[in-house]
């Protein structure tokens, strides 16, 4: 299965109210291949799934607490060998639930693992066992509590789980700019011990961009940016970090590949959008500078 379909949003191609009501969107979809159609749908839905200011009405949950929980979820998804898509979707589900419902501080970790369980049911072939997830929380919660919260989350979100994520746009943009389709291989590459895989500049660039996206996932500052903006800016920051000014597409896909710069101007052509893009880029540079240890291994390989 293509990594671009991991979010399970194929039903939106036909059932999304936005797609049905927009003549322009429908026309665009008819002229595109499957992957580009998926991209158009997800770009169209970004604002609907954006969890901006999700902590505004949370008296017991702080940005620092959210950062710690998301960082823990990132570590858990790696330990369980889940896809980056599952991790990103779990954070989106958690953040959107926080907009709807006040959560006590002592139940925040339960919300995190429950969101991860829902995300894996949407993305993975096999979800982690509930007992396995509860053991990661030192068995502080019961199976009944987790299942009840799962039902509540689904009701609060109206079962709308096909959110555009960082992982989706990272797969799409890297495949279009370099002609190299990851097909879920990114997660394996990030954790590999084989240093030889980093010798190819294109791969090194993509996985450094993935690491920058991962850092942004845990930082509440970036909840105000749409995922596609963060990904394009992360790719630019990664490119600058590696002093790589151009990434050449592979020969067999040269005709369909685009440069990173062309994507930026194509997706954000207005002056206001360019300012937003610049602001996000600067925020990511600051984030990377504050997390030098996390990216240094990627840069020095």
């Amino acid at each position: 299965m293509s990594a671009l379909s991991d979010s399970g949003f194929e039903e939106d191609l036909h059932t999304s109210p936005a797609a049905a009501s927009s003549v322009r969107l429908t026309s665009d979809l008819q002229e595109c291949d499957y992957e580009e159609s998926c991209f158009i749908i997800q770009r169209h839905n970004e604002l609907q799934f954006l969890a901006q200011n999700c902590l505004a009405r949370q008296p017991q949950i702080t940005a620092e607490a959210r950062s710690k929980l998301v960082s823990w979820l990132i570590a858990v998804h790696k330990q369980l060998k889940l896809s980056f898509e599952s991790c990103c979707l779990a954070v989106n589900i958690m953040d959107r639930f926080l907009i709807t419902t006040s959560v006590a501080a002592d139940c925040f970790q339960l919300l995190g693992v429950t969101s991860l369980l829902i995300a894996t049911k949407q993305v993975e072939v096999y979800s982690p066992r509930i007992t396995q997830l509860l053991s990661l929380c030192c068995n502080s919660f019961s199976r009944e509590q987790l299942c009840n919260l799962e039902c509540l989350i689904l009701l609060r979100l109206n079962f709308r789980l096909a959110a555009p994520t960082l992982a989706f746009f990272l797969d799409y943009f890297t495949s279009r700019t370099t002609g190299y389709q990851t097909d879920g291989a990114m997660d394996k590459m990030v954790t590999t011990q084989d240093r030889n895989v980093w010798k190819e500049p294109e791969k090194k660039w993509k996985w450094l961009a993935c690491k920058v996206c991962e850092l942004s996932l845990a930082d509440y500052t970036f909840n105000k940016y749409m995922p596609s903006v963060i990904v394009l800016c992360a790719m630019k920051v990664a490119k600058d970090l590696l002093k790589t000014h151009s990434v050449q597409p592979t020969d067999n896909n040269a005709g369909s590949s685009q440069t990173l710069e062309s994507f930026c101007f194509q997706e954000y052509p207005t002056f206001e959008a360019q300012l937003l893009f610049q602001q996000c880029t600067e925020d990511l540079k600051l984030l990377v500078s504050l997390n030098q240890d996390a990216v240094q291994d990627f840069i020095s390989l």
Side-chain angles (χ1 to χ4, degrees), residues 111-168:
L111 173 60
V113 294
T114 306
S115 298
L116 184 62
L117 177 63
I118 295 172
T120 57
K121 288 181 178 181
Q122 182 80 352
V123 175
E124 306 290 341
V125 176
Y126 299 105
S127 299
R129 302 176 71 88
I130 292 179
T131 53
Q132 187 178 20
L133 293 175
L134 292 177
S135 67
L136 294 172
C137 303
C138 301
N139 292 310
S140 301
F141 312 102
S142 68
R143 182 187 184 92
E144 183 180 8
Q145 286 177 309
L146 188 148
C147 292
N148 288 339
L149 182 56
E150 180 182 13
C151 293
L152 181 60
I153 292 172
L154 293 173
L155 289 172
R156 288 283 192 269
L157 300 187
N158 198 26
F159 290 85
R160 298 191 71 235
L161 305 176
T165 63
L166 295 173
F168 169 83

Side-chain angles (χ1 to χ4, degrees), residues 166-184:
L166 295 173
F168 169 83
F169 289 111
L170 189 61
D171 276 329
Y172 180 82
F173 286 135
T174 53
S175 67
R176 293 287 167 154
T177 54
T178 66
Y180 176 78
Q181 178 62 49
T182 59
D183 284 329

Side-chain angles (χ1 to χ4, degrees), residues 9-216:
F9 59 86
E10 291 87 342
E11 68 274 10
D12 284 344
L13 292 173
H14 300 290
T15 63
S16 169
S21 63
S22 174
V23 176
R24 179 180 178 182
L25 177 62
T26 304
S27 176
D28 289 343
L29 293 176
Q30 291 174 346
E31 299 174 359
C32 301
D33 58 27
Y34 175 75
E35 290 183 355
E36 192 170 356
S37 296
C38 294
F39 168 73
I40 292 172
I41 288 291
Q42 293 297 64
R43 277 284 286 118
H44 188 76
N45 289 340
E46 275 190 289
L47 281 176
Q48 300 177 36
F49 288 90
L50 190 64
Q52 194 170 11
N53 298 321
C54 65
L55 300 183
R57 298 182 180 180
Q58 293 293 333
Q60 297 188 38
I61 307 299
T62 64
E64 182 181 1
R66 178 189 175 278
S67 177
K68 290 180 179 179
L69 180 60
V70 174
S71 297
W72 179 76
L73 287 175
I74 291 172
V76 167
H77 107 272
K78 291 179 179 178
Q79 179 180 337
L80 299 179
K81 298 182 180 180
L82 302 173
S83 66
F84 187 44
E85 173 71 19
S86 289
C87 184
C88 292
L89 186 58
V91 174
N92 178 268
I93 290 171
M94 180 186 76
D95 285 346
R96 285 193 292 135
F97 180 78
L98 289 173
I99 293 176
T100 69
T101 308
S102 180
V103 177
D106 58 357
C107 294
F108 195 33
Q109 187 180 33
L110 178 62
L111 173 60
V113 294
T114 306
S115 298
L116 184 62
L117 177 63
I118 295 172
T120 57
K121 288 181 178 181
Q122 182 80 352
V123 175
E124 306 290 341
V125 176
Y126 299 105
S127 299
R129 302 176 71 88
I130 292 179
T131 53
Q132 187 178 20
L133 293 175
L134 292 177
S135 67
L136 294 172
C137 303
C138 301
N139 292 310
S140 301
F141 312 102
S142 68
R143 182 187 184 92
E144 183 180 8
Q145 286 177 309
L146 188 148
C147 292
N148 288 339
L149 182 56
E150 180 182 13
C151 293
L152 181 60
I153 292 172
L154 293 173
L155 289 172
R156 288 283 192 269
L157 300 187
N158 198 26
F159 290 85
R160 298 191 71 235
L161 305 176
T165 63
L166 295 173
F168 169 83
F169 289 111
L170 189 61
D171 276 329
Y172 180 82
F173 286 135
T174 53
S175 67
R176 293 287 167 154
T177 54
T178 66
Y180 176 78
Q181 178 62 49
T182 59
D183 284 329
M186 185 168 295
D187 299 287
K188 298 177 183 178
M189 293 290 287
V190 169
T191 57
T192 184
Q193 299 299 314
D194 183 5
R195 298 170 66 94
N196 291 328
V197 300
W198 298 99
K199 291 182 178 180
E200 297 182 37
E202 289 181 7
K203 292 182 180 179
K204 192 172 183 179
W205 170 58
K206 282 191 287 289
W207 276 275
L208 181 57
C210 181
K211 186 62 182 179
V212 176
C213 287
E214 184 182 286
L215 290 172
S216 73

